[in-house]
Structures are given as structure tokens and as C-alpha cells.
Amino acid sequence: MSIDPFSGKTIAIDFETATEARASACSIGLAFIEDGRVVRVEERLIRPPENRYSPFNIAIHGIRPEHTVHAPEFVDVMAEFAADFEGARMIAHNASFDFSVLRACLDHSGLDYPELSYLCSVKLAQRHWPGLGSHRLNVLAAHLGLNFLHHNAAEDARICAEACLAMAAEAEVNDLFELAAKLGLNIGRLNRRGYEPCSFARKPRRAAALQA
């Protein structure tokens, strides 16, 4: 089944960070979904604060200080994509991480939060494909027969988007937020006043008690 069209703008997002600090984004990947398919993938390197990296993070993604010494800062990259983010429906694999990076970078840069809603593809996959031993992106890529370069922001965003499209098609829904409702997932939101996390809907107490 094709999903045609998705409602509104739908963008998968992924960050890599230079250190343990959430405000140290050094790369962003974006995959844009239109008419039920990925139509555009973007990646930008970002110069983190003081261009400082930890060896642990370098070992994960391979980005080094020399790669970002002349890269734009977060505020400049955000300016390029701000119009895309505003009012968008977004998805991320382990959204609690990626949206904490986004919030921390916005805070560090003194920028307002955009108004957007988002979903976590890990949580969607846990509900939709409960039989998989893991729901990491490399496992989902293998499950779907997709080639994948892990810990590259653009690739991570692309596979996140493709996995969500596959789940929506298998569930026979026309929209990722319809898929979330079907799987019992609360939509996360970011706005000028703060944020609400994407989370599993709680089971009614009576039903939970009967299952105990």
C-alpha cells in the first residue's frame, strides 16, 4: 500500500554530537517525506562550541575538529532550515535524544523553539515490530533490506524515514500520526513555551490491574 499523501510537512531528523554535552551538535541529517516517499535528504556539518570533541564521540561517528573548523555554527544552519521546521511533523529515532539536542542547541544559541510536533520511530517500531530482538536503526535497515551507513546523520534520518513509511504501509494507514494513534503513542510537541515528550499512552488502571 502506498501512503499518498502524508498530511503536512514530514521530516526525519538526526543529530551527531561532538561531546557528551547536548548543545554540541556537529552534524544534522534531514530526510523529507512527500507523497509517501523520501524525496530529499540533507546533511550539514556544524561547528560545535569551541570546536571541541571527545574521543568517545569521534569513535562513534568519525567527525573530527578538522572537519568542522570552517563549518557554520548551529544558528546559521538553523536559519537555513527554520522555515522547514516551523509547523512540521517530525520523526527521530530515539527522539528523546535528538530533540534534547535540538532544544539544548536552541537554548545555547538564544533562539526560540519552533512550533512543531514529533514522533519517536524507536517507540513506533517497538509496538509495530515487537518480535525484533532490537529496534536499532541497523536492525531495522536489515529487516527492510536497506543498505545503511550507521552514525551518519543523513543516513540515520533516511532510514528513520523509510522505516516509518514501511510501518505505515504495513499498518494500512495514510499518516504517521494515525499510525501513532493505532499503536498507542502520544505525540511529542515543541513550542515557544517548552515541550511535551513523545511517550507511550498509559493503559487504563483497571485494564492494567486485570493484566497484573
Side-chain angles (χ1 to χ4, degrees):
M1 173 185 175
S2 62
I3 335 173
D4 183 17
F6 268 22
S7 299
K9 295 181 288 187
T10 305
I11 307 169
I13 186 171
D14 183 84
F15 283 104
E16 301 295 336
T17 56
T19 70
E20 70 286 349
R22 290 290 196 263
S24 68
C26 60
S27 177
I28 183 174
L30 300 167
F32 295 78
I33 296 173
E34 293 179 12
D35 298 331
R37 61 190 183 93
V38 176
V39 297
R40 172 184 162 204
V41 179
E42 300 281 357
E43 181 184 11
R44 298 289 185 276
L45 291 177
I46 302 169
R47 186 167 73 253
E50 301 177 358
N51 204 35
R52 185 175 71 85
Y53 284 76
S54 76
F56 177 81
N57 291 59
I58 291 173
I60 292 174
H61 50 58
I63 302 172
R64 297 175 175 275
E66 58 266 32
H67 297 143
T68 56
V69 65
H70 299 301
E73 295 183 347
F74 176 83
V75 66
D76 299 310
V77 174
M78 189 63 190
E80 179 182 356
F81 295 110
D84 292 311
F85 286 9
E86 193 68 33
R89 294 182 167 191
M90 303 190 76
I91 48 179
H93 207 69
N94 189 13
S96 62
F97 171 78
D98 290 290
F99 283 93
S100 70
V101 171
L102 178 59
R103 295 195 313 272
C105 289
L106 290 167
D107 291 341
H108 185 269
S109 302
L111 299 175
D112 289 336
Y113 293 175
E115 299 269 348
L116 58 85
S117 49
Y118 67 91
L119 291 169
C120 177
S121 55
V122 170
K123 289 181 168 60
L124 289 172
Q126 287 171 340
R127 286 280 171 90
H128 183 76
W129 290 312
L132 293 179
S134 166
H135 296 89
R136 293 170 59 85
L137 277 174
N138 59 325
V139 174
L140 299 190
H143 177 68
L144 297 171
L146 299 173
N147 294 325
F148 177 45
L149 177 63
H150 207 180
H151 296 304
N152 170 276
E155 281 285 281
D156 286 4
R158 180 180 68 86
I159 295 301
C160 170
E162 294 288 4
C164 287
L165 288 168
M167 286 186 276
E170 289 180 8
E172 298 186 342
V173 298
N174 292 313
D175 186 274
L176 285 185
F177 284 26
E178 184 182 348
L179 176 65
K182 189 171 185 177
L183 297 176
L185 192 62
N186 294 322
I187 297 166
R189 302 186 190 280
L190 199 65
N191 54 53
R192 303 290 185 267
R193 299 171 301 281
Y195 75 101
E196 300 172 24
C198 175
S199 61
F200 289 125
R202 292 184 178 180
K203 295 179 181 178
R205 291 186 177 180
R206 180 176 177 80
L210 289 173
Q211 294 175 9

